[in-house]
Structure formats: C-alpha cells, structure tokens
Amino acid sequence: MSLFSKQNKEVFTNPLNLDNPILVQVLGICSSLAVTSQLKPSIVMGLAVAIITAFSNIIISIIRKSIPTRIRIIVQLVVVAALVTIVSQILKAYSYDVSVQLSVYVGLIITNCILMGRLEAFAMFNKPWPSFLDGLGNGLGYAMILVVVGATRELLGRGSLLGYTIIPQSFYDMGYMNNGMMTMPAMALILLGCVIWVHRAYFYKEQN
C-alpha cells in the first residue's frame, strides 16, 4: 500500500474535521477547557498531545503482536507515560513559563481518552505508518480546537495574542473594554459548545 494512498490520507484528514475527537467524539475536553485561557499554552498543549499520540501509536503498532492481551492497557500506559515524561522535561528545560502554566495537565496527558482510545481502537490492529498518521491526525484535530478557543479567549479577554497587543489603544480610548468573563474557566466550556454547535450545524447541512 502506498504511503500516501487514499485510505492513509483519510486516516490522517478525517480527525481534522469529520471525525474530530473533540467536535464529533467529544473526547479530551477536560484539558481543552483547562489550558485555553491564552493562546501560547493552547498551542504547546496541542502540539504535545499530537506528538505523544503519534509516537505512542507507532510504538504500540510495532510491538502489538508481542503484547499479551490481558496486559495491553498496562503496556499502553507505560509507553504513553514514558513519552509524556520526555515531553514534560523538554518543556521545563526550554519553555519553563509555559510548563508552569500547563501545570499538572501535561502529566494528565497519560490519561487522555483520545490517546488511549486511538491506541486501543487503531494502533493495536494496524501497521505502524497508518497508526502514526491516525495519531498525528487526531492530535492535530485536538490541537486545532485548543488554538481556536485559546485565541478567542485571549483576544477578547486580554486584547492580545501570544502576549502581543492586538486591539489598538484607540479602541480603548473610545470606550472598548476587554471581556473579563473570557478569562474565566466557564467561558471555555461555553466557547467550546459554540464551536461544536457551529461545526455540527455546518456538517449536517452539507450532508443533507
């Protein structure tokens, strides 16, 4: 099978839209609500999950035939935990401020249902390359939503993106005010609900 066959392309692209883990499957929303107060931690968290999902998928796929069925979940957790530890240490070494913002949520990637779901449903039954594409696609699909929610919350709540002021001072001089509610955790849930609603309304409209 070609590396970039139609089937492999669908494995990668479906999680970005039609089978998005957050928008369609409503998985992994806990961390997506917790780390999206600003854009930078949203990007870092999304990339971390994408990298860990892709490489845990490929590792489990390679060793899947040698994993005893009764301990497969334990093996999967060990692989994910090792990758999470590596990513966590890299973040602390090269982006300490972001690692502090993400707090315990990097460690909780170990229990992210997107990762465990893809390992159990896909990597255990498919070859390494499709498994890698599946993991990367699902991770990027997850990251995409974090970026949208994080960017919206930071822009409307702080008037900035990635720490750089976006809304001109003249707007504030005319009476514009940042929406303080956007910095509150509850707004992440409301925004995520709106994104899911818009996606499903458009998707089902297209299907009809």
Side-chain angles (χ1 to χ4, degrees):
M1 182 182 294
S2 170
L3 290 180
F4 300 102
S5 65
K6 181 180 179 181
Q7 183 178 352
N8 283 341
K9 287 180 181 177
E10 289 178 353
V11 166
F12 175 73
T13 58
N14 280 354
L16 300 177
N17 183 23
L18 303 181
D19 200 23
N20 187 281
I22 294 181
L23 299 182
V24 179
Q25 303 174 51
V26 197
L27 298 175
I29 63 171
C30 296
S31 55
S32 65
L33 298 178
V35 302
T36 54
S37 61
Q38 296 182 56
L39 180 56
K40 189 174 182 179
S42 300
I43 293 173
V44 173
M45 184 67 169
L47 290 177
V49 170
I51 291 169
I52 292 169
T53 306
F55 283 97
S56 60
N57 258 24
I58 197 171
I59 292 170
I60 291 298
S61 177
I62 290 171
I63 65 174
R64 71 188 189 281
K65 293 182 180 178
S66 60
I67 302 175
T69 303
R70 60 186 178 182
I71 64 166
R72 70 187 188 282
I73 302 296
I74 297 174
V75 175
Q76 292 168 11
L77 284 172
V78 169
V79 170
V80 173
L83 291 172
V84 167
T85 302
I86 293 171
V87 168
S88 178
Q89 293 303 311
I90 291 173
L91 281 178
K92 288 179 180 178
Y94 294 100
S95 189
Y96 184 75
D97 59 329
V98 176
S99 71
V100 171
Q101 284 181 287
L102 294 176
S103 184
V104 299
Y105 294 103
V106 173
L108 289 177
I109 293 175
I110 297 171
T111 58
N112 191 306
C113 45
I114 297 174
L115 271 82
M116 300 308 298
R118 299 326 299 166
L119 292 175
E120 187 70 5
F122 198 93
M124 287 294 293
F125 303 99
N126 291 276
K127 294 181 178 179
W129 177 245
S131 296
F132 175 79
L133 293 178
D134 176 79
L136 186 61
N138 276 275
L140 291 177
Y142 167 89
M144 241 177 19
I145 307 308
L146 261 65
V147 168
V148 169
V149 176
T152 303
R153 291 182 68 192
E154 183 176 354
L155 179 61
L156 299 181
R158 304 171 189 269
S160 62
L161 286 176
L162 296 175
Y164 296 99
T165 301
I166 300 298
I167 298 178
Q169 183 59 42
S170 58
F171 279 44
Y172 295 103
D173 295 339
M174 289 187 293
Y176 177 82
M177 295 179 63
N178 291 330
N179 187 343
M181 290 184 64
M182 283 291 172
T183 62
M184 299 173 63
M187 284 307 299
L189 182 61
I190 295 172
L191 279 175
L192 185 58
C194 291
V195 173
I196 292 174
W197 170 57
V198 170
H199 177 269
R200 293 192 177 188
Y202 177 78
F203 173 72
Y204 287 119
K205 179 181 178 181
E206 288 295 305
Q207 289 289 11
N208 293 332

